Amino acid sequence: MIRVLIADDQGMVRTGFTVFLSTQPDIEVVGEAADGREAVRRAAELQPDVVLMDVRMPEMDGLQATRRITEDPAISSKILILTTFDLDDYVYEALRAGASGFLLKDASAVQLADAVRVVAAGEALLAPAVTKRLIQEFARLGAPRAPAMRRLSELTERETEVLALIARGLSNQEIAGRLVLSEQTVKTHVGRILAKLGLRDRAQAIVHAYETGLIRPGD
């Protein structure tokens, strides 16, 4: 079972998500939180696999709560940010804070359940519109002129290739096809990349690839 905590300051939103997710045979809603501070406390208490985290909440916003949760070694929860198009400016900071993905609040019930499963499995969930916004933000901030190879030196040549393709948004299956490898081999490479670089998941790997200059906007 995938254990989920729902953090949103709107009671109707929490109820709606809870009702639908509770109908899924592989998902269990273990708790709710009405603000960021409560989300952090409940995450530590309940140890959910995934936290559905709204951005705008009282007491402590979703970005601060995400950072508190992901920086706490005692909490292993993945964070799935709930956002709207007008909040896309938060994408970069949310990824930096340790979020594993984003879900638009107008997503369908099926998309919600699929998003929870994707994030729980350790994959990054970045919709095309969100990925585009992220790349624009890296372009605005300015990427390094040359790759910071000291931060990539632990990777093999093949692992570096895989990381670059992850940063371009390719799935394991697509990477396998591009490099003529089995999907299991790609999964092994991804696991080693995350372990060597001390990253939580693919979302952080994407940020790392851009910040080290391995990938630049427009590549």
Side-chain angles (χ1 to χ4, degrees), residues 115-168:
V116 168
R117 294 184 183 105
V118 167
V119 170
E123 300 284 342
L125 184 74
L126 296 173
V130 173
T131 302
K132 180 180 179 181
R133 186 71 187 212
L134 176 62
I135 292 173
Q136 290 174 344
E137 183 67 7
F138 277 117
R140 186 183 71 80
L141 294 173
R145 292 185 178 180
M149 297 309 296
R150 67 185 180 278
R151 297 181 64 187
L152 297 171
S153 60
E154 294 183 18
L155 302 184
T156 65
E157 183 177 349
R158 177 63 84 188
E159 289 166 352
T160 302
E161 283 184 288
V162 171
L163 176 58
L165 294 176
I166 289 174
R168 292 189 176 100

Side-chain angles (χ1 to χ4, degrees), residues 6 12 15 44 51 63 67 87 107 118 132 135 139 145 148 158 168 173-175 188 199 204 217 219:
I6 300 172
M12 290 183 65
T15 299
V51 179
L63 299 184
R67 188 171 290 107
L87 292 180
V118 167
K132 180 180 179 181
I135 292 173
R145 292 185 178 180
R158 177 63 84 188
R168 292 189 176 100
Q173 184 177 15
E174 291 169 333
I175 294 172
T188 299
L199 305 173
Q204 287 199 331
D219 280 355

